[in-house]
Amino acid sequence: MSEAREYLNTNDEYVYDILRIAAKAIAEAYQTTYDAPKDLPDGWIGIRVDINPERLKAVPHKDAKDALQGFLNLLRSADNITTGEGA
């Protein structure tokens, strides 16, 4: 009996939002741009963040943890507005 592998995909709004938030946080930390997440072959999901080669050895311009936490807070706020929670 073989088990079929199941993969997440970017058509799932939560997968898409989480990946987009992660890419946006990295991009903001390095003051650069990012592309939307996309499905890749063999079940992989990809995000693309434009980082200049000279920045790879440099420290981020902003704390990535702070950037990510800020975006997570925005996501929670948006979710609370749509669900009516936290009022």
Side-chain angles (χ1 to χ4, degrees):
M1 181 175 175
S2 70
E3 294 182 24
R5 294 178 76 177
E6 293 184 28
Y7 299 106
L8 295 175
N9 66 64
T10 57
N11 291 327
D12 180 312
E13 67 181 271
Y14 295 107
V15 171
Y16 182 85
D17 286 344
I18 290 167
L19 291 171
R20 185 181 51 79
I21 287 169
K24 191 169 184 176
I26 294 168
E28 184 171 300
Y30 284 91
Q31 296 181 344
T32 187
T33 60
Y34 70 97
D35 289 336
K38 70 177 205 172
D39 293 318
L40 299 173
D42 198 24
W44 287 88
I45 297 173
I47 57 173
R48 180 177 292 176
V49 178
D50 178 36
I51 299 177
N52 296 329
E54 63 271 8
R55 290 189 180 173
L56 290 176
K57 295 179 182 173
V59 296
H61 294 279
K62 182 177 179 181
D63 186 352
K65 182 179 176 184
D66 290 342
L68 182 57
Q69 188 60 53
F71 290 117
L72 289 173
N73 291 341
L74 285 173
L75 182 62
R76 286 187 191 114
S77 295
D79 192 43
N80 288 343
I81 289 170
T82 59
T83 62
E85 296 176 11

